[in-house]
Amino acid sequence: MSSRINIAIDGYSSCGKSTLARELAKELDYVFIDTGAMYRAITLYALQHNLTKPELNSKKLIECLPEIEVSFEYNKTRGASDVLLNGKNVEKEIRQMEVSNNVSPVAAVKEVRKKLVELQQKMGEQKGVVMDGRDIGTVVFPDAELKIFMTASDEIRAQRRFNELKEKGNNITLVEVQKNLKERDHIDTTRVEDPLRQAEDARVIDNSDLTRENQFELALSWVEEVKALA
Ligand code: DC
């Protein structure tokens, strides 16, 4: 009997959700899916087709949705999957600040969410998935065996994202990063469609004062606990 489970990880931007999800998937030999990358890929499409200025042309974007294919391809070096937009690897482009600055309005479009949620649910049918995002425990996998909600202080999150972007060679200031995180949190939590919220049965990790190792050990102990009950 297989005792594979689905693990849903939700939380604010730059809380280290993907880091934890990747580590858990590696340890358990599960598939890691970064759903933020999927919303980012559609945002990149919108940017490439001039659909974001002066504000998002959601009508046109909805019309284009049948032409947009989002998929993943395993990257051995990274030990994680890269996101593909219509067959092209866009993992690098989707991390640019321009995408971060435009992603929340795109992710607030009902039809965009419907398309991606369906895709995500398909990916989890066979279990053995660690998925991170904003609505995984509430909408995508409301029956996930383990739900984790992650949070950290605003200062720590901004500093982490700033360091990450700097490391990748982005020319950016801490203030710009803080502004972007604040705006995204606001849109992500107040939007009508599947806003970010903690599932009632989620276990919370505030990693402001936790090391990566502590956080991983804690989450792994929850996985073991849940699997023993399954
Ligand atoms: O996790 P991230 O920062 O890469 O996500 C980018 C944006 O996508 C984020 O601002 C909100 C949105 N998102 C979402 O609405 N639902 C998800 N499941 C994942 C991300």
Side-chain angles (χ1 to χ4, degrees):
M1 268 281 280
S2 149
S3 62
R4 284 152 74 86
I5 62 168
N6 278 341
I7 304 173
I9 305 184
D10 291 302
Y12 297 97
S13 301
S14 299
C15 277
K17 299 184 295 293
S18 298
T19 304
L20 177 62
R22 193 178 307 118
E23 288 175 353
L24 284 175
K26 190 165 173 224
E27 175 73 21
L28 301 165
D29 201 16
Y30 279 15
V31 176
F32 158 54
I33 298 159
D34 170 3
T35 63
M38 301 169 83
Y39 289 94
R40 285 171 179 269
I42 295 194
T43 306
L44 183 65
Y45 179 97
L47 284 163
Q48 287 170 344
H49 292 78
N50 300 317
L51 303 180
T52 59
K53 288 201 174 96
E55 58 186 33
L56 179 68
N57 184 342
S58 48
K59 190 167 172 279
K60 191 85 215 291
L61 180 63
I62 293 165
E63 280 169 23
C64 292
L65 280 178
E67 290 164 26
I68 307 178
E69 194 199 74
V70 178
S71 55
F72 286 100
E73 163 182 87
Y74 190 70
N75 177 332
K76 250 186 174 173
T77 322
R78 241 169 36 90
S81 294
D82 287 348
V83 73
L84 309 187
L85 173 60
N86 289 338
K88 183 174 181 276
N89 190 319
V90 292
E91 185 60 37
K92 219 168 169 180
E93 283 110 304
I94 61 157
R95 307 293 164 194
Q96 300 292 323
M97 206 60 197
E98 201 184 4
V99 173
S100 299
N101 283 336
N102 286 280
V103 66
S104 282
V106 170
V109 176
K110 186 172 158 194
E111 289 77 1
V112 168
R113 303 204 69 81
K114 185 168 178 286
K115 179 181 171 104
L116 294 186
V117 167
E118 281 174 10
L119 209 60
Q120 291 153 8
Q121 287 174 332
K122 265 214 166 75
M123 292 169 170
E125 272 171 2
Q126 309 296 321
K127 302 269 177 182
V129 157
V130 188
M131 196 175 272
D132 88 275
R134 305 292 188 289
D135 59 343
I136 312 304
T138 50
V139 177
V140 181
F141 300 143
D143 297 329
E145 289 81 356
L146 176 61
K147 299 179 187 179
I148 300 177
F149 190 86
M150 290 180 67
T151 178
S153 75
D154 294 356
E155 295 74 26
I156 290 193
R157 289 163 54 213
Q159 191 64 51
R160 280 188 195 144
R161 180 54 68 105
F162 173 71
N163 294 345
E164 206 179 287
L165 287 166
K166 273 276 180 216
E167 222 167 81
K168 288 183 186 159
N170 283 278
N171 188 17
I172 187 133
T173 66
L174 183 60
V175 174
E176 280 174 293
V177 174
Q178 281 167 330
K179 186 166 169 276
N180 172 258
L181 287 186
K182 216 172 162 165
E183 276 171 13
R184 281 206 288 150
D185 283 351
H186 178 71
I187 302 180
D188 295 344
T189 50
T190 57
R191 70 181 176 220
V192 178
E193 300 301 330
D194 311 339
L196 166 65
R197 62 181 177 83
Q198 185 185 322
E200 271 171 30
D201 50 350
R203 302 174 187 224
V204 180
I205 295 184
D206 180 336
N207 64 18
S208 308
D209 300 314
L210 281 184
T211 65
R212 212 165 131 172
E213 291 74 23
N214 291 156
Q215 161 180 291
F216 174 69
E217 292 305 327
L218 177 62
L220 196 59
S221 72
W222 288 341
V223 173
E224 278 153 15
E225 192 187 314
V226 167
K227 282 177 90 170
L229 293 173

